[in-house]
Amino acid sequence: MTDQKLCQLAIEAKQNSYSPYSHFRVGAALLTEDGAVYQGVNIENVAFSPTNCAERTAFFKAVSEGKRQFKAIAISGDAQDYLYPCGVCRQVMAEFCDPKTFQILLVKPDGNFKKFTLEQLLPGAFTQNDLEKGIQ
């Protein structure tokens, strides 16, 4: 799977967004270690706090089908600039991904993208390894 293809899948995913309140669509495409891709969208709720981000939707779909190892995620929103994942989504990524190697591709609607590691976007992430080692 090329970075460009993953980015295109994130852009395409936006079509299924449920965003009747913000009218701001977000799509994500999550790549597993075995090459499967899970798309996710933002799903809003009038009460706001039950709203779910596209990134978490993609992760929860994959995890619910038994996937636990991930390589990268592409994220695209309706903004003309790059759309960064929120802190909650970053922490969900840290639960399942190696912060040093997991790639986050931020995609503009025209397909241009920037690539970061999770560690760059969430330095000092609290992970399962920290729990197993015990926090110092």
Side-chain angles (χ1 to χ4, degrees), residues 66-120:
K67 303 295 182 174
R68 299 290 190 277
Q69 296 181 329
F70 305 99
K71 291 176 72 170
I73 191 167
I75 307 161
S76 180
D78 278 340
Q80 293 305 308
D81 204 354
Y82 300 106
L83 182 65
Y84 289 77
C86 74
V88 174
C89 288
R90 294 178 201 198
Q91 186 57 52
V92 167
M93 292 174 196
E95 179 71 18
F96 295 103
C97 307
D98 181 341
K100 294 180 186 317
T101 61
F102 184 70
Q103 300 288 306
I104 301 170
L105 290 73
L106 308 179
V107 190
K108 288 185 177 182
D110 65 6
N112 286 317
F113 66 93
K114 287 181 174 180
K115 189 188 311 189
F116 298 91
T117 63
L118 177 56
E119 184 174 58
Q120 289 173 300

Side-chain angles (χ1 to χ4, degrees), residues 4-59:
Q4 290 78 11
K5 179 63 176 169
L6 193 64
C7 290
Q8 186 59 42
L9 290 170
I11 292 169
E12 291 172 8
K14 289 189 295 188
Q15 299 306 312
N16 292 324
S17 168
Y18 179 75
S19 47
Y21 309 106
S22 71
H23 306 287
F24 187 84
R25 301 171 309 154
V26 181
L30 177 64
L31 178 63
T32 66
E33 286 287 345
D34 65 4
V37 175
Y38 290 84
Q39 290 174 297
V41 298
N42 58 320
I43 303 168
E44 295 181 348
N45 186 285
V46 70
F48 187 69
S49 64
T51 293
N52 201 52
C53 298
E55 302 92 310
R56 282 182 281 144
T57 299
F59 267 93

